[in-house]
Amino acid sequence: DGDNANSYLTAPISGTIVRRAVTLGQTVAAGDAGADTLFTIADDSVVWADIAVYKQDIGRIRIGAPVALKTDAGNVLALSTVAFVLPVINETSRTATARVIVANTDGSLTPGQFVTADLSVGNASPVVRVPQTAVQIVEDKPSIFVPVEGGFAPKPVMIGATAGGFVEIRSGLAVGETFVSQGGFTLKAQLEKDAFGDGHGH
């Protein structure tokens, strides 16, 4: 009781308390290096995904290579790139580790979760690539929505190989050109809705 009834602990990071090792009424001391941790806090807004890479494939992994993290069912959880490859091979599994740093603002990934990684590897020439979600089929042609005066319009493109959640654009989209990476399906649906309405209006 009294002036010292309440004590405040300031956490060095923001996040969620995932473990509490202190109970009400327990005596604790500040500055005791040997003391137990009182609270464990996890910040999962950014997560690391460590990918096991077979020894024979290590030389093909490039920093910056696109990576798609997927569930066992093949659903894409996140898209990112290889941040770095750890220069150590596990003696038991004979694998190396490629680390991917993923923004997890939507909480789709959970620390400790197992995922499948789809990596783009090799020494191919640079190409224009966009997320698969950006490509929509409009009037039987692969298209990407680009900004135009007053809104967005579909632009036909020629697509190539697909890997790591990305698709190669062989023609129709220039390097640096602005396009819609998310929400293309919604724009397509609105376009079809408007076309349907115009047809009945005549």
Side-chain angles (χ1 to χ4, degrees):
D1 297 332
D3 294 338
N4 296 324
N6 295 320
S7 296
Y8 298 91
L9 300 177
T10 301
I13 64 171
S14 61
T16 303
I17 296 176
V18 296
R19 192 172 74 87
R20 185 185 74 175
V22 64
T23 58
L24 186 63
Q26 179 179 340
T27 300
V28 297
D32 182 0
D36 293 334
T37 300
L38 304 182
F39 298 94
T40 301
I41 298 175
D43 176 11
D44 64 352
S45 60
V46 176
V47 297
W48 290 359
D50 286 346
I51 304 169
V53 181
Y54 290 113
K55 180 180 178 181
Q56 63 269 25
D57 294 327
I58 295 174
R60 302 172 61 201
I61 304 297
R62 298 286 183 266
I63 294 176
V67 179
L69 301 180
K70 300 180 178 182
T71 64
D72 291 339
N75 298 321
V76 176
L77 293 171
L79 299 175
S80 188
T81 58
V82 175
F84 58 93
V85 180
L86 301 182
V88 178
I89 297 177
N90 185 290
E91 295 181 358
T92 303
S93 63
R94 307 304 296 168
T95 60
T97 299
R99 180 160 292 168
V100 178
I101 301 175
V102 184
N104 190 41
T105 53
D106 60 355
S108 59
L109 295 171
T110 303
Q113 176 182 2
F114 284 92
V115 296
T116 299
D118 185 359
L119 284 80
S120 295
V121 296
N123 300 311
S125 301
V127 296
V128 176
R129 306 200 320 163
V130 301
Q132 287 180 253
T133 53
V135 180
Q136 301 294 326
I137 303 299
V138 179
E139 295 182 352
D140 297 327
K141 298 178 181 178
S143 302
I144 292 178
F145 282 89
V146 296
V148 296
E149 185 177 354
F152 300 91
K155 184 176 184 181
V157 294
M158 179 181 294
I159 62 175
T162 299
F166 291 82
V167 59
E168 174 188 356
I169 303 299
R170 294 183 175 176
S171 65
L173 188 70
V175 175
E177 187 174 354
T178 303
F179 66 93
V180 177
S181 61
Q182 299 286 340
F185 181 80
T186 302
L187 291 174
K188 174 187 174 182
Q190 185 62 45
L191 182 68
E192 293 175 343
K193 179 180 177 182
D194 292 345
F196 183 79
D198 290 344
H200 276 65
H202 296 153

